[in-house]
Amino acid sequence: MNDALAFAGSWYAATAQPSPLRPALAGEARADVAIVGGGATGLSAALHLAERGARVVLLEGGRIGHGASGRNGGQIIPGLRLGAADLLARFGQERGAALFQLALSARDLVVDRIARHDIACDLTLSGHLLTAVRPRDLDDFAHEAVAAARLGYAGMAVLDAAAARAAVASPSHGGLMDAGGGHFHTLNYTLGLARAAEAAGAILHEASPVTRLERRAGGVTLHTDAGRVVAAQAILAGDALLGPLNGRVHSRIMPVANYIVTTDVLPDGGAGLIPGNQAVSDSRFVVNYFRRTPDGRLMFGGGERYSPRPPADMAAFVRPFLERSFPMLAGVGLAHAWGGLVSITRSRLPDLGRDGPVLWAHGYSGQGAVLSTLGGALLAEAATGDASRFAPFAAIAPPGFPGGALLRGPLHVLGMLWYALRDQIG
Ligand SMILES: Cc1cc2nc3c(=O)[nH]c(=O)nc-3n(C[C@H](O)[C@H](O)[C@H](O)COP(=O)(O)OP(=O)(O)OC[C@H]3O[C@@H](n4cnc5c(N)ncnc54)[C@H](O)[C@@H]3O)c2cc1C
């Protein structure tokens, strides 16, 4: 289904730096670690592993960055999809703080990688604003800011309605500003990670879908139609696209399609809409999210769709959500429209795990733009014998969906529709 989601029509594809075609795997290769997936998780794992001296072969089924990492909203939102208040309630002060601080380090890791490898990706650390669509959201925001402070993070501030409307020209009852947020060109970042991984010694193959994973004494063999990689360990970094390769791992996440547009270049470059150039999302369960682009457009994502088939006209599908958030943009020209698959877990916590020589990280639940780089780093550490940062996440791995891959769809759709309905009735 990913191929039907118009990646080629995305603003990211239209503004990406050139990226060389990597040859498909042919014949047999040997590696300490073989990685499935050339998104930020897999590439970050490859980079960290190669830096640790491991022999790494990464197999990407399509092009590097054509999954969620190359087409997301580019919003840098510190922390996990499950907020500080929930972490505190579920895991208590000490464990909650350790998890939260580790998650927060993802943002610094990305900033560090961008600087270290000179990745030109329009990094803008202007903050992230969560806007309140209901008055009672402000109580939750205040609660969240207090919980974050208790977990050692002082970056959040609650805005009243006037301050929120000054920050973004969209109806809201207030907001929660996170100074640590921002946005970036997620495809150029992913392509930069790929270059850095290669420079460190990792071997990357494109057009090499892994069709079979075979356990054998002393390791794992990954098969493609044209070759195989014989490795001591394997990392599954296919996220929503992993599919049948490992049904047991894949059934722990639920892929949900989500759609994004960019407007034509706006007369003021969008400065009147978001003067401070923050990344913004709203408090709806089916979230709307938006930001300015460096070439003067508004990028807007909204409206999940639980049907496996994408809408015939993605721009027309997103338009009503955009116009509800920005009535003054009614009828604005839409230059690009595309979709992607978000992988959601039952607890909204990421799923990091290990089964013998096979490790995986996925399911960042819509907040993986920077967490994926951390996920890859933790996988690399665990694969090279240091699981001290991997283990706390593995210990809170979410439960799989009831009924596995077969039933998760219909059951989850019912649940999500209920929340979408709650968005409508307030
Ligand atoms: C539309 C959309 C908007 C989003 N917006 C945001 C946002 O604004 N902020 C945020 O924090 N997060 C956002 N996210 C989530 C974020 O993009 C993801 O969590 C993150 O990119 C996941 O990275 P990944 O490397 O794990 O997976 P991916 O980037 O999807 O990479 C997985 C790769 O594995 C490959 N693959 C899968 N199976 C195989 C196989 N068998 N053989 C070979 N290759 C295989 C795929 O082709 C793919 O390239 C969004 C996601 C989507 C879809």
Side-chain angles (χ1 to χ4, degrees):
M1 175 184 168
N2 196 46
D3 291 339
L5 292 177
F7 176 61
S10 74
W11 175 82
Y12 290 113
T15 56
Q17 286 149 14
S19 177
L21 268 177
R22 277 102 182 169
L25 177 73
E28 183 173 296
R30 291 189 170 261
D32 297 316
V33 185
I35 299 174
V36 181
T41 300
L43 293 164
S44 167
L47 172 56
H48 284 89
L49 281 163
E51 284 176 339
R52 288 168 170 239
R55 284 180 309 158
V56 181
V57 175
L58 181 148
L59 302 172
E60 163 55 47
R63 299 287 323 265
I64 295 292
H66 94 152
S69 299
R71 57 173 89 191
N72 63 51
Q75 303 217 345
I76 298 173
I77 310 172
L80 300 163
R81 187 75 179 93
L82 202 67
D86 285 323
L87 288 177
L88 195 55
R90 283 187 61 168
F91 303 115
Q93 174 72 40
E94 198 179 325
R95 224 171 139 208
L99 288 166
F100 195 54
Q101 291 298 333
L102 186 50
L104 289 174
S105 74
R107 179 248 196 212
D108 299 336
L109 180 61
V110 167
V111 172
D112 176 63
R113 284 300 186 189
I114 290 170
R116 235 193 307 161
H117 306 292
D118 203 13
I119 302 175
C121 59
D122 306 319
L123 177 66
T124 307
L125 294 174
S126 47
H128 172 260
L129 177 66
L130 176 63
T131 60
V133 296
R134 296 161 290 253
R136 66 169 185 273
D137 292 335
L138 285 181
D139 295 336
D140 294 341
F141 291 0
H143 194 49
E144 178 67 8
V146 169
R150 276 190 60 192
L151 297 183
Y153 182 63
M156 290 185 190
V158 178
L159 307 188
D160 63 17
R165 281 188 214 143
V168 52
S170 175
S172 83
H173 296 277
L176 182 64
M177 182 73 86
D178 188 333
H183 50 85
F184 66 150
H185 191 301
T186 180
L187 178 55
N188 280 339
Y189 170 69
T190 306
L191 297 174
L193 268 189
R195 281 193 301 275
E198 284 174 323
I203 294 169
L204 313 185
H205 293 286
E206 295 182 312
S208 303
V210 178
T211 51
R212 192 159 60 87
L213 195 151
E214 178 197 349
R215 297 275 188 101
R216 50 168 180 75
V220 191
T221 302
L222 301 187
H223 296 265
T224 69
D225 283 346
R228 58 185 184 160
V229 182
V230 179
Q233 297 182 87
I235 283 177
L236 305 182
D239 198 44
L241 301 168
L242 185 65
L245 177 63
N246 188 318
R248 204 165 71 81
V249 170
H250 189 60
S251 67
R252 303 169 73 96
I253 56 167
M254 166 81 190
V256 177
N258 190 274
Y259 299 94
I260 308 185
V261 295
T262 55
T263 64
D264 288 341
V265 172
L266 299 169
D268 67 348
L273 301 177
I274 313 173
N277 201 11
Q278 289 89 3
V280 185
S281 47
D282 70 21
S283 63
R284 286 187 173 81
F285 183 80
V286 181
V287 64
N288 295 310
Y289 53 98
F290 37 91
R291 67 175 178 97
R292 287 160 51 187
T293 62
D295 60 353
R297 307 169 193 275
L298 183 74
M299 179 184 292
F300 187 99
E304 279 156 350
R305 206 173 131 98
Y306 308 110
S307 152
R309 230 170 304 138
D313 183 340
M314 291 180 197
F317 175 75
V318 177
R319 180 182 287 283
F321 299 98
L322 184 154
E323 294 185 353
R324 182 177 57 186
S325 295
F326 293 100
M328 67 289 256
L329 292 183
V332 71
L334 300 179
H336 309 94
W338 69 99
L341 295 178
V342 181
S343 69
I344 293 175
T345 66
R346 277 179 73 192
S347 65
R348 306 297 187 264
L349 289 166
D351 178 34
L352 276 69
R354 158 166 227 157
D355 178 12
V358 179
L359 299 96
W360 64 88
H362 60 175
Y364 308 103
S365 301
Q367 205 163 308
V370 295
L371 276 175
S372 46
T373 298
L374 177 70
L378 301 185
L379 288 167
E381 289 170 10
T384 49
D386 173 8
S388 57
R389 301 199 311 157
F390 177 85
F393 272 118
I396 57 159
F401 281 85
L406 194 65
L407 275 184
R408 72 180 166 191
L411 288 177
H412 195 72
V413 166
L414 280 177
M416 300 284 274
L417 285 174
W418 160 242
Y419 280 107
L421 186 66
R422 286 204 334 187
D423 278 345
Q424 300 301 321
I425 57 184

